[in-house]
Amino acid sequence: MSTELGRLEDLPADYREALTERNLVPLWPNLRGVLPPGKPRPRTRATHWPYASIKPLLLQAGELTPIEKAERRVLVLANPGHGLDNMQASAAMYLGMQLLLPGEWAPSHRHTPNAVRMVVEGEGAWSLVDGEKCPMSRGDLILTPTGLWHEHGHDGTEPVIWLDVLDLPLVYYMEASYHVNSDRQTVIAGHGENRHARGGLLPTLVFERSNRAYPMLRYPWADARAALESLAADQPDLEAVQMTYVNPQTGAHAENILGFYAMMLRPGQTLTLPARSPAMIFHLIEGGATVQVEQQRFGLAEADTCCAPGYVPVTLANTSACAPAFLFVADETPLHQKLGVYETRA
Ligand code: 1HN
């Protein structure tokens, strides 16, 4: 039973003033706000950011703001439900589209928030993470976990654009967000993706150069796509053709706070994801799809991005009857699981 609770206005003005002067606040007028009945009231609104509307403005940023004046030339995909100034796609997720032009260098730094890059278009750029030079091609996922040095460079001839996903809102809320700059990193030979390229086989640790917390930093799209196609062919009745990006040495999520997935929708497929507590983001890598969140329905073209709040079902549909659609998905699952608030509702 949920009774009406007393309001702030019900209290005498002099009593309220006496509380305020002593840095005290009555709980009962705020109790239903912080503990709504049955389910949370997310600020996160289902929001669609069409790539066609981002790209021209990002290229214009390339003309207006030199890289030295930006360090990272990014347009943030801000959720209006959180207020645009707060740079949040959801409670814990930050999204941005970043542009690097030929010859530019985004200087080396490290910071406490975890980041990943999902490459959207262009060839010739690279991200140097913890000494490992990661080439960037469409669909590649490159990790820059908390505390690892990273810088970006571009030896190609066309603009390169990628999607950044960070847990910045959470780390900032924790008052734990800061960065440190450095000079250029030294490149160290060897790539985690080559050392972990075959399922079920791991390098014997005694021969490893180091026992790194993040043994794999680049997940090439060609491999993720092939893994989805194999899974779909192996299990024709499997509804959700989805792979999780994991740390190959532990099998845990690739990063500590956000989860990352590659998903395939079979030709003509409609897939309803049950309501779950974490918010989600969807980025269409290949094909055509719709994303339905309650009353809203977004038509995603290639390179479009959208988000959905937690606690509501999401229905995805492939708009093509003859070709598969491929999506990159990010969500707050590891965070919710670690904190013990993860829920699925039937
Ligand atoms: C960052 O370090 C990058 O390294 C991109 O490319 C976006 C947004 C907020 C804080 C740090 C990058 C970022 C960021």
Side-chain angles (χ1 to χ4, degrees):
M1 200 182 73
S2 197
T3 50
E4 271 306 288
L5 299 179
R7 299 167 307 165
L8 197 58
E9 309 82 82
D10 301 336
L11 297 168
D14 57 345
Y15 178 75
R16 280 151 51 189
E17 273 162 36
L19 291 178
T20 305
E21 278 166 21
R22 291 161 182 80
N23 295 324
L24 296 170
V25 172
L27 173 61
W28 58 96
N30 302 308
L31 186 59
R32 297 280 185 254
V34 294
L35 279 182
K39 78 181 193 87
R41 289 190 203 122
R43 270 198 276 271
T44 304
R45 277 190 223 152
T47 305
H48 177 198
W49 295 273
Y51 187 58
S53 66
I54 300 173
K55 187 178 170 182
L57 293 167
L58 193 52
L59 292 174
Q60 208 179 339
E63 292 159 17
L64 294 170
T65 307
I67 193 72
E68 296 74 24
K69 290 283 177 201
E71 283 189 17
R72 300 298 191 263
R73 192 190 289 110
V74 176
L75 293 179
V76 178
L77 281 53
N79 192 304
H82 286 276
L84 299 184
D85 291 342
N86 290 319
M87 303 198 298
Q88 287 174 264
S90 71
M93 291 190 283
Y94 158 104
L95 292 177
M97 278 289 177
Q98 181 161 175
L99 169 70
L100 200 64
L101 295 171
E104 288 186 334
W105 180 62
S108 185
H109 71 181
R110 61 185 168 101
H111 40 69
T112 45
N114 297 272
V116 299
R117 337 264 155 222
M118 165 49 52
V119 183
V120 176
E121 72 168 295
E123 291 291 332
W126 44 266
S127 204
L128 182 48
V129 186
D130 198 25
E132 183 171 319
K133 195 165 182 178
C134 303
M136 296 176 126
S137 287
R138 173 63 176 145
D140 291 351
L141 185 74
I142 296 167
L143 309 188
T144 56
T146 180
L148 298 196
W149 296 111
H150 56 282
E151 61 190 81
H152 316 299
H154 191 347
D155 305 325
T157 54
E158 299 296 326
V160 167
I161 296 174
W162 65 81
L163 178 70
D164 294 309
V165 187
L166 284 84
D167 47 29
L168 177 68
L170 175 75
V171 180
Y172 181 76
Y173 173 75
M174 291 164 64
E175 300 188 341
S177 182
Y178 71 95
H179 87 281
V180 180
N181 284 330
S182 83
D183 296 331
R184 278 177 189 261
Q185 299 173 69
T186 310
V187 178
I188 301 167
H191 289 88
E193 82 229 40
N194 297 331
R195 288 192 292 276
H196 300 91
R198 291 287 177 268
L201 287 172
L202 293 176
T204 307
L205 274 181
V206 71
F207 299 121
E208 270 272 70
R209 148 166 84 90
S210 68
N211 190 0
R212 293 173 149 190
Y214 299 96
M216 188 153 159
L217 297 172
R218 175 171 182 261
Y219 296 75
W221 174 238
D223 292 346
R225 194 183 188 286
L228 289 168
E229 291 206 304
S230 300
L231 178 63
D234 189 59
Q235 287 182 265
D237 297 332
L238 181 67
E239 243 204 308
V241 183
Q242 180 173 306
M243 309 289 287
T244 303
Y245 290 95
V246 299
N247 176 328
Q249 277 178 359
T250 64
H253 281 280
E255 289 188 349
N256 285 329
I257 295 178
L258 301 181
F260 306 103
Y261 317 86
M263 179 186 274
M264 175 178 142
L265 296 172
R266 298 175 200 265
Q269 185 183 5
T270 297
L271 175 68
T272 296
L273 309 174
R276 299 179 318 131
S277 54
M280 306 183 82
I281 75 119
F282 301 92
H283 173 80
L284 187 69
I285 296 181
E286 194 184 312
T290 58
V291 177
Q292 172 120 22
V293 187
E294 296 186 304
Q295 275 27 279
Q296 269 170 294
R297 192 154 175 270
F298 306 131
L300 297 194
E302 282 181 359
D304 280 12
T305 307
C306 71
C307 74
Y311 297 91
V312 290
V314 177
T315 299
L316 308 170
N318 185 345
T319 51
S320 166
C322 39
F326 293 94
L327 296 125
F328 167 64
V329 181
D331 75 3
E332 300 162 334
T333 292
L335 172 67
H336 282 224
Q337 287 177 336
K338 282 173 182 148
L339 299 185
V341 299
Y342 183 86
E343 271 185 60
T344 303
R345 297 190 174 192

